[in-house]
Amino acid sequence: MARKVGMLVKFLLYKYKMNEPMRKADMLKIVHKWYWKQFPEVLQKASVNLDLIFGFELKEIKPNSQSYTLVCKSDDTGDGSLSSAWQFPTRGILMPLLGVIFLHHNCAPEEEVWEILNMWGIYDGKRHFILGEPRKLITQYLVKEKYLEYRQVLKSDPPRFEFLWGSRAHAETSKMKVLEFVSKISGTAPSDFPCRYQEALRDEEERAQATAATVAGTTSKSSGDSRATSSQHCHPE
């Protein structure tokens, strides 16, 4: 079904690009008659993918019209302090990339990354009408911004490359948030990935402990500064 969802996503994006009508009858041809009974589920998953990855909302033009349109959503981060990497369209490719890396034990072969991106019509060497040049985006921009690491596999001949999370990805998101994202686009639950789910829970616990330690240290320092200031006021020179 994942392949059918990807095909439908690419079809709808193409129709949007060409400003052509998106009819249910044409979608059914893409899905194939063997999947007609599952079409509502395929369409729903395609809608989620369009939303989370490309920032589009799939809407029926009129009730029971069986014709649809894509509406570009405004960015909903709600935080002006976040970098452009967390805004559409870049966020749409960054989160799946982080998900692929996490699911591959925190280190994803480049060929696996492109295989996933191909499912959504994002190809190496082919300019995407929303994302621009994908290779430049993921191997240069997101690396330069420290959201990804891109390195050669040790002793690989011919050279092969792999992706890891960059320092800013570790700082600005979490394994649990990325796993929740992966679950949404795949129509599953985080617990359906038991090993990664346990790792994400441990990561959440470690983050909570680190935050608590930082708060405790800050509170202790503030108390010490307050006592020092009070002492100076009580015993002037």
Side-chain angles (χ1 to χ4, degrees):
M1 181 178 290
R3 190 170 67 88
K4 292 298 180 182
V5 171
M7 290 172 62
L8 188 56
V9 167
K10 287 187 283 187
F11 171 77
L12 292 171
L13 288 174
Y14 174 79
K15 289 292 187 180
Y16 175 84
K17 179 182 178 181
M18 303 304 294
N19 196 28
E20 295 179 355
M22 306 171 191
R23 302 187 182 94
K24 181 179 178 180
D26 296 326
M27 296 184 209
L28 287 170
K29 294 176 184 177
I30 295 296
V31 171
H32 197 276
K33 62 182 180 181
W34 290 347
Y35 289 86
W36 282 0
K37 290 183 179 180
Q38 296 173 289
F39 176 75
E41 183 180 358
V42 173
L43 182 62
Q44 191 273 332
K45 289 184 176 181
S47 178
V48 170
N49 278 246
L50 287 164
D51 178 7
L52 296 178
I53 299 173
F54 297 105
F56 285 114
E57 182 178 1
L58 180 66
K59 286 187 173 183
E60 193 170 13
I61 296 176
K62 293 180 180 179
N64 302 316
S65 66
Q66 298 191 345
S67 293
Y68 297 80
T69 186
L70 290 180
V71 178
C72 188
K73 298 174 63 178
S74 59
D75 189 82
D76 58 359
T77 59
D79 187 342
S81 67
L82 293 178
S83 78
S84 59
W86 297 113
Q87 301 169 11
F88 287 117
T90 311
R91 181 178 66 178
I93 196 173
L94 177 56
M95 287 298 280
L97 284 173
L98 296 177
V100 173
I101 294 167
F102 182 40
L103 293 180
H104 282 80
H105 305 280
N106 302 301
C107 184
E110 182 176 7
E111 55 269 24
E112 295 286 344
V113 168
W114 285 112
E115 184 177 331
I116 295 298
L117 295 180
N118 289 172
M119 291 176 58
W120 297 308
I122 303 169
Y123 300 99
D124 186 10
K126 184 176 181 181
R127 185 174 182 83
H128 193 274
F129 81 102
I130 296 174
L131 299 169
E133 173 47 55
R135 171 165 288 277
K136 184 177 181 180
L137 176 61
I138 70 176
T139 65
Q140 295 182 35
Y141 174 73
L142 291 175
V143 171
K144 180 182 178 182
E145 294 295 315
K146 301 186 183 303
Y147 287 103
L148 296 176
E149 287 186 27
Y150 180 63
R151 70 186 187 188
Q152 184 176 340
V153 177
L154 188 64
K155 298 182 179 180
S156 60
D157 185 19
R160 292 184 296 107
F161 293 83
E162 59 191 5
F163 287 93
L164 297 85
W165 284 28
S167 57
R168 290 184 70 179
H170 284 288
E172 296 178 16
T173 190
S174 69
K175 293 178 179 179
M176 186 61 77
K177 288 180 181 179
V178 169
L179 189 59
E180 289 171 347
F181 177 92
V182 170
S183 298
K184 285 181 180 178
I185 63 174
S186 61
T188 58
S191 57
D192 291 334
F193 306 90
C195 293
R196 303 284 74 80
Y197 183 59
Q198 290 302 317
E199 182 178 345
L201 287 175
R202 289 194 298 272
D203 181 62
E204 291 292 295
E205 184 177 352
E206 290 169 3
R207 287 172 179 269
Q209 291 174 351
T211 300
T214 301
V215 171
T218 302
T219 302
S220 177
K221 184 178 183 301
S222 298
S223 298
D225 291 344
S226 178
R227 286 194 297 270
T229 303
S230 176
S231 176
Q232 290 174 1
H233 288 165
C234 294
H235 304 284
E237 293 184 356

